[in-house]
Amino acid sequence: MSSGHDSSGTTLMDLITSDPSAAPAAGASSQQPSSGGGGSLGRPAPPPAPAPADRKSKRATLMQIQSDTISAAKAFNPVKALPQRNRKKKPVSYSQLARSIHELAATCDQKKSQRQLVNSVFPKLAVYNSVDPSVAPSLLMLHQQCEDRNVLRYVYYYLARILSDNGSQGLSAAGGIPTPNWDALADIDVAGGVTRADVVPRIVDQLSAESTSDDVEFHARRLAALKALTSSSTSSSEMLEKLSEIVFGILEKVADTKQKRKKGIFTKQGGDKESILRSNLQYASLSALRRLPLDPGNPAFLHRAVQGIEFSDPVAVRHALSIISEIAVRDPYSVAMALG
């Protein structure tokens, strides 16, 4: 029986604690297959462990292969650097937006131009607190030639802003990015600039013609034109007279109180298409009447407001009640007689 020593006198502990690099040389001469019954000492020795230098060399080779593979993949499929993606875009100047409106208005029949106006140009222009009157000719061109509802919605909005701008300081109470006094710039422009006095009459004429049209196909545009038209300044007596004529003319046509409301005032209205169009005009005309300066001495003003109480549109009724309450503060007797 063996006591833990081999034939060369090396113990098992010596083999465990010995240097692995020297093990193959020592083991080659001592570990030979034996035909006798030596038990486990007759088995072949396990393969030697790789040297530390070999392991470092293989690791360096694998890392080099990985680096070459990544470089090749980037060459075939380049990826943008993250700093470029997070880089802030420069803000678009007002002059660039105005130039874009002029250019896109000339090609407003193309879907691409319409998308650019709705998605990019018009929303960015809204952050400025006033609109240059020189943009009005392009807006009027879009108003006449474009049929896209989203474009027209912005067109009416900006025409209303041009009409409502007093043009004195280029500033408004609504805030926004400050803009210069456009009329002052136009006066000193050697090439001849465009002022509000040049474009407001054209805007008023075009919107007035549309707001008085009875064509059912352009009913929605009629309502939008009336709303934009009543945004104009009423400091001019001529403008106020024109607005009053349009509003009272519409009220005279739709103020038929003999038609009874088919459902409750706070419920959905019923009826045919004609009654729905009438209800829309009732709301639009009374909303416009409320924007006009209060005129307690005008019997027609109070008469139309009292008639509005019987309208089928609930918002129109609210406008009528608001007008009547304001007149009642100044002339309660006339209001009481009109309601009686």
Side-chain angles (χ1 to χ4, degrees), residues 64-105:
Q64 182 64 36
I65 294 174
Q66 183 181 13
S67 177
D68 295 342
T69 304
I70 294 175
S71 300
K74 288 183 178 180
F76 284 106
N77 187 19
V79 180
K80 293 182 179 180
L82 289 178
Q84 294 181 358
R85 217 181 306 174
N86 296 331
R87 186 175 54 189
K88 293 183 179 180
K89 295 181 179 180
K90 294 182 179 179
V92 182
S93 65
Y94 187 95
S95 59
Q96 290 175 315
L97 294 174
R99 191 181 307 112
S100 299
I101 292 177
H102 296 315
E103 295 172 353
L104 296 174

Side-chain angles (χ1 to χ4, degrees), residues 175-237:
I177 299 178
T179 48
N181 187 331
W182 301 114
D183 287 352
L185 287 181
D187 290 339
I188 64 176
D189 190 351
V190 293
V194 179
T195 63
R196 292 184 71 255
D198 299 327
V199 297
V200 166
R202 292 179 54 190
I203 297 174
V204 171
D205 291 342
Q206 199 159 316
L207 294 179
S208 299
E210 193 171 28
S211 60
T212 55
S213 174
D214 293 328
D215 194 342
V216 178
E217 294 184 1
F218 296 96
H219 177 72
R221 297 188 60 165
R222 181 184 186 184
L223 300 178
L226 179 61
K227 182 178 179 181
L229 191 61
T230 53
S231 299
S232 58
S233 175
T234 55
S235 57
S236 170
S237 58

Side-chain angles (χ1 to χ4, degrees), residues 93-328:
S93 65
Y94 187 95
S95 59
Q96 290 175 315
L97 294 174
R99 191 181 307 112
S100 299
I101 292 177
H102 296 315
E103 295 172 353
L104 296 174
T107 58
C108 61
D109 56 332
Q110 301 178 8
K111 292 292 184 182
K112 182 179 180 181
S113 298
Q114 297 173 7
R115 285 195 299 268
Q116 284 183 291
L117 285 170
V118 173
N119 298 330
S120 179
V121 179
F122 280 149
K124 293 178 181 177
L125 186 65
V127 302
Y128 293 90
N129 60 13
S130 65
V131 182
D132 184 2
S134 65
V135 182
S138 296
L139 294 175
L140 292 174
M141 182 189 303
L142 290 170
H143 177 259
Q144 290 179 328
Q145 299 180 4
C146 186
E147 298 181 357
D148 184 81
R149 290 185 301 175
N150 294 322
V151 174
L152 288 175
R153 182 181 61 188
Y154 278 109
V155 168
Y156 286 116
Y157 168 72
Y158 285 116
L159 289 178
R161 287 189 59 178
I162 293 176
L163 291 176
S164 62
D165 187 8
N166 55 20
S168 59
Q169 297 178 354
L171 300 174
S172 65
I177 299 178
T179 48
N181 187 331
W182 301 114
D183 287 352
L185 287 181
D187 290 339
I188 64 176
D189 190 351
V190 293
V194 179
T195 63
R196 292 184 71 255
D198 299 327
V199 297
V200 166
R202 292 179 54 190
I203 297 174
V204 171
D205 291 342
Q206 199 159 316
L207 294 179
S208 299
E210 193 171 28
S211 60
T212 55
S213 174
D214 293 328
D215 194 342
V216 178
E217 294 184 1
F218 296 96
H219 177 72
R221 297 188 60 165
R222 181 184 186 184
L223 300 178
L226 179 61
K227 182 178 179 181
L229 191 61
T230 53
S231 299
S232 58
S233 175
T234 55
S235 57
S236 170
S237 58
E238 181 181 356
M239 187 65 198
L240 179 58
E241 183 180 354
K242 191 178 190 65
L243 286 174
S244 300
E245 180 182 353
I246 293 173
V247 173
F248 285 123
I250 297 175
L251 284 171
E252 186 178 357
K253 295 179 181 179
V254 301
D256 186 4
T257 57
K258 294 180 181 179
Q259 291 189 354
K260 294 183 179 180
R261 190 182 298 114
K262 293 192 175 183
K263 292 189 178 182
I265 187 172
F266 296 112
T267 58
K268 187 177 180 181
Q269 302 166 18
D272 54 4
K273 183 177 181 180
E274 183 179 354
S275 62
I276 294 175
L277 297 180
R278 176 186 294 271
S279 176
N280 291 339
L281 285 174
Q282 288 174 348
Y283 154 72
S285 57
L286 269 182
S287 176
L289 183 65
R290 191 178 178 186
R291 292 193 187 99
L292 295 179
L294 198 65
D295 190 5
N298 187 354
F301 199 98
L302 178 59
H303 175 66
R304 294 305 179 188
V306 172
Q307 281 185 330
I309 300 177
E310 299 293 330
F311 284 174
S312 59
D313 186 87
V315 182
V317 175
R318 187 184 69 183
H319 287 317
L321 292 173
S322 176
I323 295 172
I324 293 173
S325 64
E326 291 180 7
I327 297 178

